[in-house]
Amino acid sequence: MSKNRKFMLSAATIVLAVSTVAVRSWATGYNNYSLVVAGSEPHFVAVGDFNNDGNPDIVVANYDSNTVSILLGNGNGTFQTAQNFNCGSYPISVAVGDFNGDGNLDVAVANNADNLPGGNLAIMFGNGNGTLQAPVDYSTQGSPFYVAVADLRGDGLLDVVLAAHGGPVQVFLNSGNGTFESPGLYNAGGNPQSVAIADYNNDGVPDLAVANSKTNNISILLGNGDGTFGTAANYTVGTSPSVVAAGDFTANGNMDLAVTNNGSNNVSILLGNGNGTFQTPPTTLAANAGPSGLAITDITGNSEADLVITNQNGTSETIQTYLGNGNGTFQSPTSYASGDQPRIVAVGDFNLDGAPDLVVACSQGNVLVYMNNGGTYITDVGNPNPANVGQAVTFTATVTPSINSGLGVPTGTVSFYNGATLLGTGTLNASGVASYTYAAGFSAGTYTISANYSGDVNYNPNSAPALTEIVNTSPNVVLTPTSLTFGIQLVNTTSPAQNVTLMNTGGGTLTITNITTSGNFSQTNTCGSSVPGGGSCTISVTFKPTGPGIRAGKISVYDNAAGSPQSVTLMGTGTVVTVSPSSLNFGSQTVGTTSAPQTVTVTNNSSTSITISSIKFSGGEPQDFAQTNTCGSSLAGNSSCTVSVTFTPHAKGALSSNLGVYDTGGGSPQTVPVSGTGM
């Protein structure tokens, strides 16, 4: 193991650490780390999808084994066994990009050669299955330390920027096929150690920020848009700056900078003015001993930039997070224990829960993975799906924690959007379920529905995968009601009409070829030969019985919709018997006395005789009414008989019953309500 490769320790060991935040357990933030094994002395990590499966993977620069490792992610926060690829002498930094335009991620490697002559830039093309091809080497000046990737001249090709101790900043422009031109050389400060590429003057062109460990400053080189850069402007920071990173800390659209100062045990914050200059002097955040790595992310999902740093000093090996306030200031850090000499930290959503996780390279140990406690999984459904035009649809989202962090069931709300249009919001119940019913329904088509979780004090905001809600584009027939029952109807007479509504709830035009009825039923309609999507029409049905008894039939609609013919069941009863009048009222009658009789006429309207089995009162107070009749046990065709009814109240008050004629004429019994008042 070489002594020269410890590129940050010398400064950190001779400076006293500032006041240290104790390592503690945490309720939010990051869970305890898990270990993954790469090569020997992992110095640098980066994140990308190297096998095109949608899961984030990790690439590691292994300083002492002269390899890079690819650890393929399983999408649940775990990783497959490392695949190691020879890359060159003492790899110290990696960057990820598709350099040859084949859709597969490649890796750029800064081979440090243990701070001795012979270092280089290596390009390793990816095969798209998690493996890498043999390196293609490019000569460099000085000892390579850091590599960064961006499209520097707006031609759609990724270029490479290299920072090297004892050399200039070196810009390798892509020739268009994954090969690179001889580098452009740009002077920065002493011992350029890292590079952050961003647009610092808001002209749409990438610029460079370089951390210079020897001269304790940051160099800003503004881009010209053609892959060349202007003269460096320098800003003093802390002692031995190591990693510089860009982010918008004030949410004003201007890029700001953070840099870890390995020698002075702090972090410098430089707020950008939006014109390529920065406010001075920088503000300073205290860190534990030996801050080296730095990443900018949104830990809590509140849309404010947060900082993650690694502290590599042997007496204070921690990861620290600084939550941003959105105004360029940061909260006191939270510290997490780490492995030996944590150097570089990178960010990725390793369990696909919408919350940023961390991966850290510990140069004297393994690679650490920290899972974000605030992550959730969201599932959402639409019911029904597919739906009909104008049909109410209920959207339901279930929010569950992605890891067992002991923080309980998520609370808050879920907002449902159709594209960018808010449909409505539901509140999570005790089971983490929220629903919203879109009562208005949709017109025909396909809709992209998103469910956005608000987050709470424990869990980050998150969104469910897009839900496709389909509303029928074909015609769809709905008949209302689905059955009709007609009353008792005299044979060979026509009933009043009853209506059925035909609705086309689909999106396509309904073509009607025929509407028919069966049995003793007839119809007329307003439908014509077609009904547009979302339209309706009316079918009017009448009943004309041809004989006594129960008569059944149906409406049948023949069309181009699924389920044709659609039908409505029909029912009615025919009779040949009529009774007149339809009711009797005896008015007031003294209790215990009998009223004058009133007459009910029973008529057989058919040409054949019917049998009369009984004539009697039922329901109410039948004892208060009496009858005599001339009907006998049968009634000849086309003839009538009479029933003489009297009222003898036995109590005061309203009294009633029903006179029933039980016969074989259909619709039996024919009833006549009778009533009176005892006084």
Side-chain angles (χ1 to χ4, degrees):
M1 180 171 61
S2 169
K3 297 179 181 178
N4 293 328
R5 53 142 180 71
K6 293 188 177 181
F7 67 103
M8 298 181 194
L9 280 181
S10 58
T13 55
I14 61 175
V15 178
L16 292 176
V18 296
S19 59
T20 300
V21 179
V23 176
R24 58 187 174 88
S25 300
W26 51 90
T28 58
Y30 289 95
N31 210 334
N32 209 348
Y33 63 78
S34 58
L35 294 173
V36 293
V37 178
S40 176
E41 298 193 21
H43 268 47
F44 204 102
V45 288
V47 176
D49 182 4
F50 294 100
N51 60 348
N52 297 313
D53 65 350
N55 299 327
D57 309 315
I58 298 171
V59 57
V60 185
N62 303 303
Y63 192 86
D64 204 44
S65 55
N66 297 328
T67 59
V68 293
S69 297
I70 299 292
L71 297 101
L72 297 178
N74 296 315
N76 60 0
T78 66
F79 295 85
Q80 299 175 31
T81 302
Q83 303 176 79
N84 298 316
F85 303 90
N86 294 325
C87 63
S89 177
Y90 295 95
I92 199 168
S93 172
V94 291
V96 174
D98 180 7
F99 302 124
N100 59 356
D102 64 354
N104 301 323
L105 285 185
D106 311 313
V107 179
V109 186
N111 289 311
N112 178 260
D114 208 21
N115 282 326
L116 298 173
N120 61 25
L121 168 68
I123 302 296
M124 305 178 72
F125 294 116
N127 296 313
N129 60 359
T131 64
L132 299 176
Q133 299 176 28
V136 178
D137 296 334
Y138 294 86
S139 297
T140 60
Q141 296 187 25
S143 298
F145 243 84
Y146 198 98
V147 63
V149 171
D151 179 2
L152 300 178
R153 49 185 174 181
D155 57 1
L157 304 175
L158 290 180
D159 309 303
V160 176
V161 179
L162 181 80
H165 280 194
V169 174
Q170 297 155 64
V171 176
F172 293 81
L173 297 179
N174 196 325
S175 298
N177 55 2
T179 63
F180 293 86
E181 302 172 9
S182 297
L185 306 178
Y186 299 90
N187 292 321
N191 283 354
Q193 184 144 318
S194 64
V195 179
I197 305 175
D199 181 6
Y200 300 115
N201 60 350
N202 292 318
D203 65 351
V205 173
D207 309 309
L208 306 182
V210 183
N212 306 299
S213 63
K214 185 175 182 179
T215 50
N216 302 326
N217 58 13
I218 300 294
S219 297
I220 303 299
L221 295 88
L222 298 180
N224 297 315
D226 59 357
T228 64
F229 295 86
T231 302
N234 297 318
Y235 294 84
T236 299
V237 291
T239 304
S240 299
S242 51
V243 174
V244 61
D248 184 359
F249 304 142
T250 58
N252 64 356
N254 299 329
M255 282 291 101
D256 309 309
L257 291 173
V259 59
T260 50
N261 300 306
N262 184 258
S264 51
N265 300 326
N266 54 24
V267 180
S268 295
I269 304 296
L270 295 92
L271 299 181
N273 297 315
N275 60 359
T277 66
F278 292 83
Q279 298 177 28
T280 56
T283 58
T284 301
L285 305 175
N288 286 349
S292 55
L294 169 65
I296 298 173
T297 187
D298 182 5
I299 295 171
T300 61
N302 64 354
S303 299
E304 294 173 353
D306 308 314
L307 306 180
V308 182
I309 71 167
T310 61
N311 299 289
Q312 67 168 7
N313 186 283
T315 62
S316 182
E317 294 169 322
T318 55
I319 311 301
Q320 288 184 291
T321 60
Y322 300 73
L323 299 183
N325 296 315
N327 60 0
T329 66
F330 294 85
Q331 301 175 30
S332 297
T334 299
S335 294
Y336 306 104
S338 78
D340 292 339
Q341 292 189 16
R343 289 185 178 269
I344 296 298
V345 58
V347 177
D349 183 5
F350 300 126
N351 58 351
L352 306 178
D353 64 354
D357 307 311
L358 306 177
V359 57
V360 179
C362 294
S363 63
Q364 296 301 300
N366 295 304
V367 174
L368 312 182
V369 176
Y370 295 80
M371 305 306 297
N372 193 319
N373 284 332
T376 56
Y377 293 128
I378 305 178
T379 58
D380 60 335
V381 296
N383 184 36
N385 190 6
N388 294 323
V389 171
Q391 183 178 15
V393 179
T394 298
F395 296 103
T396 301
T398 302
V399 184
T400 56
S402 58
I403 60 176
N404 184 19
S405 56
L407 300 178
V409 177
T411 61
T413 60
V414 176
S415 297
F416 298 92
Y417 287 83
N418 169 27
T421 301
L422 176 65
L423 298 176
T425 299
T427 300
L428 291 175
N429 62 20
S431 299
V433 178
S435 296
Y436 172 77
T437 298
Y438 183 52
F442 299 94
S443 57
T446 300
Y447 297 85
T448 299
I449 306 299
S450 59
N452 296 343
Y453 170 49
S454 64
D456 62 16
V457 295
N458 293 323
Y459 297 102
N460 292 16
N462 198 6
S463 297
L467 168 69
T468 300
E469 177 71 25
I470 299 173
V471 181
N472 287 325
T473 55
S474 300
N476 184 72
V477 171
V478 175
L479 295 170
T480 306
T482 57
S483 65
L484 293 178
T485 300
F486 290 81
I488 298 172
Q489 185 69 31
L490 187 63
V491 170
N492 294 323
T493 65
T494 301
S495 72
Q498 294 191 46
N499 292 333
V500 171
T501 299
L502 183 155
M503 294 179 289
N504 177 9
T505 59
T509 298
L510 177 71
T511 301
I512 299 174
T513 55
N514 201 7
I515 299 177
T516 64
T517 56
S518 62
N520 293 163
F521 301 90
S522 300
Q523 65 83 27
T524 59
N525 65 79
T526 63
C527 300
S529 61
S530 65
V531 178
S536 64
C537 60
T538 301
I539 304 172
S540 296
V541 184
T542 56
F543 172 47
K544 184 178 181 180
T546 58
I550 296 174
R551 303 284 162 152
K554 66 178 179 179
I555 302 170
S556 297
V557 181
Y558 296 84
D559 50 56
N560 64 333
S564 176
Q566 300 83 19
S567 63
V568 174
T569 59
L570 306 173
M571 188 72 67
T573 301
T575 185
V576 296
V577 178
T578 56
V579 293
S580 179
S582 59
S583 65
L584 299 177
N585 189 325
F586 289 88
S588 297
Q589 184 70 31
T590 301
V591 172
T593 64
T594 301
S595 70
Q598 295 190 38
T599 300
V600 173
T601 300
V602 180
T603 302
N604 177 4
N605 295 279
S606 71
S607 59
T608 59
S609 64
I610 61 172
T611 298
I612 298 177
S613 59
S614 66
I615 299 175
K616 60 184 179 180
F617 295 97
S618 62
E621 295 78 32
Q623 69 277 7
D624 293 326
F625 299 89
Q627 63 86 20
T628 60
N629 65 80
T630 63
C631 299
S633 60
S634 65
L635 184 60
N638 298 315
S639 63
S640 301
C641 63
T642 59
V643 181
S644 181
V645 182
T646 58
F647 173 46
T648 305
H650 294 84
K652 292 183 178 181
L655 304 168
S656 63
S657 189
N658 290 299
L659 174 67
V661 180
Y662 295 82
D663 55 62
T664 59
S668 176
Q670 285 76 27
T671 58
V672 177
V674 295
S675 62
T677 302
M679 57 177 289

